[in-house]
């Protein structure tokens, strides 16, 4: 599997293009906007986009989903259904942040913890990680040791939990009880900022490190 990061929207959200290098079929994860950049990147890599995967319903992650779906006539998978209220509010989120017009959508498939999604011949595991939003999901390739974690975890930080239905305790538990057991050697692409590994964050992230920095 291969992956590249395409920063999109004024929030510099890390949209990911991932693909199976055997079939050259790929998925766009979190097309928040700037669809021309995303499609150009796919074209440059020779990737045929076969689906859209969504980590959560925030504007910078999901804002371009409906338009990309209609342009390419491809299905949407994710997030978990608990984020439906965020997706339904995409037009209002847009107006509030001064983004170009955005549309709500209904995924072909809502995802549950323990589901798998395919990209070409690759398989990713779905981990439901509520806290930042109630329906946030993370995609993990255990063969490639890479995770796409959206706004759950960042290098040196964690997602905000001051939104409606955000929950700080749920977020900590999602990270410690669901992500850490996948292994210290998992590299992750966060929704914003630089890549890191679970092991590095267990050591040095002040919010979720094993040692309490008090
Ligand atoms: Zn978010
Ligand atoms: Zn974000």
């Amino acid at each position: 599997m291969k992956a590249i990061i395409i920063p999109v929207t004024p929030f510099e959200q890390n949209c990911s293009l991932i693909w199976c290098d055997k079939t050259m079929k790929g998925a766009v994860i979190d097309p928040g906007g700037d669809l021309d950049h995303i499609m150009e990147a796919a074209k440059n890599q020779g990737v045929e986009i076969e689906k859209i995967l969504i980590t959560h319903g925030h504007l910078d992650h999901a804002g371009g989903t409906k338009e990309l779906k209609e342009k390419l006539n491809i299905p949407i998978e994710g997030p978990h259904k608990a984020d439906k209220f965020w997706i339904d509010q995409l037009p209002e989120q847009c107006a509030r942040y001064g983004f170009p017009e955005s549309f709500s959508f209904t995924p072909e498939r809502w995802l549950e913890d323990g589901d798998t999604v395919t990209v070409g011949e690759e398989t990713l595991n779905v981990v439901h990680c509520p806290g930042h939003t109630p329906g946030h999901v993370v995609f993990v390739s255990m063969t490639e040791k890479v995770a796409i974690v959206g706004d759950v975890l960042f290098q040196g930080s964690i997602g905000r939990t001051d939104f409606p239905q955000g929950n700080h305790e749920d977020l900590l538990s999602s990270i410690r009880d669901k992500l850490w057991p996948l292994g210290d050697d998992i590299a992750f692409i966060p929704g914003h900022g630089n890549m890191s590994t679970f092991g590095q964050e267990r050591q040095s992230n002040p919010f979720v490190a094993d040692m309490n920095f008090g």
Side-chain angles (χ1 to χ4, degrees):
M1 192 183 92
K2 294 222 161 76
I4 56 170
I5 295 171
I6 308 153
V8 296
T9 83
F11 293 174
E12 293 279 294
Q13 193 273 119
N14 288 331
C15 170
S16 302
L17 175 68
I18 65 169
W19 68 95
C20 159
D21 36 4
K22 228 187 211 167
T23 59
M24 295 306 284
K25 288 183 191 293
V28 175
I29 304 182
D30 287 357
D34 298 331
L35 302 184
D36 291 348
H37 291 188
I38 297 170
M39 290 194 297
E40 197 184 311
K43 196 176 155 203
N44 289 342
Q45 301 290 343
V47 173
E48 180 198 337
I49 300 170
E50 65 169 356
K51 65 177 66 173
I52 300 168
L53 300 174
I54 302 293
T55 63
H56 68 296
H58 280 164
L59 175 62
D60 52 326
H61 296 257
T65 306
K66 171 95 181 240
E67 200 185 334
L68 187 63
K69 178 203 169 58
E70 285 177 353
K71 269 190 211 284
L72 301 178
N73 194 24
I74 51 175
I76 304 163
E77 299 183 23
H80 183 282
K81 199 166 188 179
D83 263 22
K84 183 178 187 298
F85 78 105
W86 275 119
I87 294 170
D88 290 345
Q89 290 176 59
L90 278 170
E92 290 85 353
Q93 290 188 62
C94 263
R96 178 167 343 143
Y97 290 102
F99 273 48
E101 192 176 15
S102 174
F103 305 94
S104 61
F105 57 88
T106 303
E108 273 63 31
R109 184 183 172 205
W110 295 106
L111 296 174
E112 300 278 347
D113 193 58
D115 279 351
T116 58
V117 296
T118 58
V119 179
E121 293 178 8
E122 301 279 354
T123 301
L124 300 171
N125 296 336
V126 174
V127 186
H128 181 208
C129 290
H132 174 69
T133 65
H136 201 304
V137 296
V138 162
F139 300 101
V140 189
S141 165
M142 291 307 291
T143 49
E144 302 288 329
K145 301 280 180 196
V146 66
I148 293 93
V149 304
D151 289 350
V152 171
L153 178 67
F154 305 107
Q155 183 190 61
S157 188
I158 59 173
R160 285 174 58 176
T161 51
D162 57 335
F163 295 113
Q165 296 189 40
N167 185 302
H168 187 70
E169 290 308 313
D170 284 355
L171 183 62
L172 295 180
S173 156
S174 289
I175 296 169
R176 289 187 175 133
D177 303 333
K178 290 178 142 179
L179 297 186
W180 287 176
L182 299 172
D184 286 354
D185 55 345
I186 304 277
F188 69 90
I189 301 174
H192 307 266
N194 296 327
M195 287 186 70
S196 179
T197 65
F198 290 167
Q200 177 63 37
E201 298 311 305
R202 285 185 78 154
Q203 278 189 1
S204 62
N205 188 313
F207 298 92
V208 285
D210 294 344
M211 265 212 342
N212 193 335
F213 291 93

